[in-house]
Amino acid sequence: MSKIRLGVNIDHVATVRNARGEIYPSPERAALLAQKSGADSITIHLREDRRHINDLDLKRIKKILKIPLNLEMACTLEMFKIAKKTKPDFVCIVPEKRKEVTTEGGLNLDINKSYLKKVVTSLKKNGSRVSLFVEPSKLAILKASNLGANCIEIHTGKICNLINKGKSYKVELKKIKKNSEYAEKLGLYVHAGHGLTYKSAKILSKIKSISELNIGHFLIGESIFFGLKNVIRNFRKIIKR
Ligand code: PXP
């Protein structure tokens, strides 16, 4: 079974910094420490309202990283231009609503389809590996494939909620497994993320069609108690297959 990649999302280091309008804690420093501690890639979400990561963070982190940078972004003209200019190794296109606390669901691939296709094609030509954040649904995956994406990232919010609440998650797990296998058969790389903890990451890492997990909020939260290095190392051990 191939190694599963661990993408570390450092958005919430910037959330803490911005809470006080300070210059610390530094997302750049977190990115370097995550790299040193075994992360396979660093994820940052440049939101339209810049509530955590900002343009300068993106520029600086891109410059210093040796591992791939995964830029999460909404499919807007502003973000498209930034991605074209910055050339992140990976781009993950996500839906974005101003009022949401976090990315609430997968993309609706019927909205702005021709623009989305243009963005995917252009960013791929520009050297980025492009991923679309979708629900674990066969139709969404087929649409992502038709749009020319290299990868899909499956929104794991629902299964993580079930696991956290101690409810039965078997049906959702089966759905994710079946759809991951379908996506792999279509030639897509399959990633998963949103709401992952040690427990849910371990469960999802058993699905061998999933090649990458992207983890942020829980991982940064645990780092308050155990340190970023230790938490990343724990995740590495837990998702090893
Ligand atoms: N993957 C994607 C596409 C996301 O939008 C997010 C949230 O920014 C994550 C993974 C990480 O989610 P969490 O912070 O809940 O671990």
Side-chain angles (χ1 to χ4, degrees), residues 8 15 28 36 55 65 80 93 96 115 135 166 191 208 228 230:
V8 172
T15 304
E28 226 179 309
K36 201 170 150 192
D55 303 65
L65 271 193
F80 175 53
I93 300 176
E96 209 173 289
Y115 184 61
E135 293 294 324
H191 307 159
K208 63 175 194 297
L228 191 56
N230 292 322

Side-chain angles (χ1 to χ4, degrees), residues 35-176:
Q35 171 177 274
K36 201 170 150 192
S37 308
D40 292 302
S41 51
I42 298 297
T43 297
I44 52 175
H45 184 173
L46 186 68
R47 280 189 167 264
E48 286 181 270
D49 61 9
R50 311 297 197 270
R51 68 175 72 159
H52 37 58
I53 293 295
N54 62 36
D55 303 65
L56 190 58
D57 295 326
L58 166 62
K59 210 169 138 188
R60 286 186 169 155
I61 291 168
K62 172 74 177 88
K63 203 165 158 198
I64 54 165
L65 271 193
K66 294 207 170 66
I67 54 175
L69 173 66
N70 177 30
L71 175 67
E72 282 179 14
M73 56 170 244
C75 189
T76 62
L77 179 60
E78 184 201 15
M79 290 302 152
F80 175 53
K81 284 184 184 162
I82 291 172
K84 282 276 273 191
K85 196 167 158 214
T86 323
K87 295 179 187 287
D89 309 272
F90 307 158
V91 169
C92 180
I93 300 176
V94 301
E96 209 173 289
K97 293 186 214 128
R98 280 280 160 102
K99 290 204 172 119
E100 68 190 357
V101 174
T102 179
T103 319
E104 285 164 355
L107 286 160
N108 179 338
L109 298 178
D110 294 319
I111 296 178
N112 268 344
K113 215 157 66 179
S114 58
Y115 184 61
L116 191 54
K117 188 157 190 156
K118 187 185 141 193
V119 169
V120 170
T121 310
S122 175
L123 292 181
K124 276 169 67 182
K125 267 198 203 135
N126 202 42
S128 297
R129 187 199 70 174
V130 181
S131 175
L132 298 176
F133 195 36
V134 295
E135 293 294 324
S137 119
K138 196 171 172 182
L139 196 57
I141 290 165
L142 182 61
K143 285 177 186 169
S145 170
N146 290 339
L147 284 165
N150 303 103
C151 340
I152 52 149
E153 180 157 335
I154 291 182
H155 193 297
T156 54
K158 186 171 174 193
I159 192 167
C160 290
N161 259 330
L162 293 170
I163 294 169
N164 291 348
K165 289 182 178 153
K167 292 189 178 167
S168 170
Y169 59 85
K170 300 289 178 221
V171 174
E172 188 63 17
L173 183 62
K174 225 169 151 180
K175 191 163 123 192
I176 294 176

